[in-house]
Amino acid sequence: MSSVKIVYFPARGRAELARLVLAAAGQDWEEEVVTGETMPALKESGRLPFGQVPLLEDGNVTVSQSMAMARYLARKHDLYGDLVQGAVADQIIDGNNDLLAKFIPHVFGPNASKEGVGNFVRDILPGFLQAFSKLLQSNKDGKEWAAGNSFSFADIALFAITESMLFDQEWVKKEDYPLLAAHYERVKAVNNIASYLASSKRHPARKIESA
């Protein structure tokens, strides 16, 4: 049994980047599935430093906050890369955090609506996708990896964004973002990533309606 455990709902969500890093590193992990019924007791247990999931448990190490989890695992398994590769990964992650901050209120909470999602898709998403595409293009014209000469955490982080926003939801035309689409296919073909994507551990994508 693996000493690594991810505590989260049975969904991709905010735990998926950590899962992708583990998969890329060829590591196994255990899933502790959380439900609406078990979450109150989990909060009361004191295991959640910020009272929320996901949570990573790696032996005696406990890491909360989804991006801290992914960064920890990338560093542990030498996927962060050199200084420049790490900086590109951090830009991608921080850019995605900004994107999600504008997206999540339209999906969860009192102001959630299909109309809000539609406005996000039309008015906000294209600018972010263009920014990610430009960042990718800055390294070897965007035709290889996200940073430097090798596959790294930056590629995994960008893959997760492109998969969610460009492929899973099909909100925008892939041909409008050819560098992102081609990069997605390169990462998808990495052996360990391909094995994970085809495995039973991979949760299905959640389809989100827009108007």
Side-chain angles (χ1 to χ4, degrees):
M1 180 179 293
S2 172
S3 64
V4 178
K5 179 187 290 184
I6 290 178
V7 183
Y8 196 57
F9 298 103
R12 294 184 191 178
R14 292 189 177 272
E16 193 61 15
L17 184 56
R19 294 186 184 112
L20 285 165
V21 173
L22 283 167
Q27 302 297 306
D28 195 15
W29 69 93
E30 179 186 351
E31 295 266 351
E32 181 177 329
V33 177
V34 179
T35 67
E37 290 71 30
T38 63
M39 188 64 183
L42 185 58
K43 285 184 176 182
E44 291 294 325
S45 72
R47 290 172 63 195
L48 306 177
F50 292 92
Q52 61 192 25
V53 292
L55 180 75
L56 175 73
E57 295 177 339
D58 182 12
N60 295 325
V61 177
T62 297
V63 184
S64 64
Q65 301 295 340
S66 58
M67 295 303 102
M69 289 166 49
R71 286 180 166 118
Y72 164 81
L73 291 168
R75 290 188 177 101
K76 177 180 178 179
H77 297 293
D78 297 322
L79 285 166
Y80 227 101
D82 61 25
L83 185 64
V84 173
Q85 287 174 310
V88 172
D90 287 341
Q91 289 178 77
I92 293 169
I93 288 173
D94 290 347
N96 189 49
N97 286 341
D98 290 344
L99 177 64
L100 291 177
K102 296 178 181 297
F103 173 61
I104 295 298
H106 300 301
V107 182
F108 300 102
N111 298 318
S113 68
K114 290 190 291 186
E115 292 74 18
V117 173
N119 290 335
F120 165 83
V121 170
R122 287 187 296 272
D123 302 334
I124 296 173
L125 180 58
F128 276 91
L129 292 178
Q130 289 164 10
F132 290 129
S133 185
K134 184 176 180 180
L135 184 60
L136 176 61
Q137 189 174 19
S138 69
N139 185 60
K140 302 181 186 299
D141 293 326
K143 296 178 180 179
E144 295 185 22
W145 301 114
N149 299 313
S150 60
F151 173 76
S152 69
F153 182 41
D155 296 291
I156 303 170
L158 186 58
F159 170 88
I161 298 166
T162 303
E163 180 185 52
S164 176
M165 295 294 176
L166 200 60
F167 284 82
D168 290 344
Q169 302 302 332
E170 299 180 334
W171 283 328
V172 295
K173 296 178 181 179
K174 299 176 185 64
E175 53 266 32
D176 289 343
Y177 305 95
L179 293 181
L180 293 178
H183 177 266
Y184 166 85
E185 296 295 342
R186 281 194 294 278
V187 175
K188 186 179 177 182
V190 172
N191 286 339
N192 286 344
I193 295 291
S195 295
Y196 168 60
L197 297 181
S199 75
S200 60
K201 297 192 80 162
R202 190 72 200 300
H203 294 287
R206 177 191 174 190
K207 293 294 184 180
I208 300 172
E209 295 184 10
S210 66

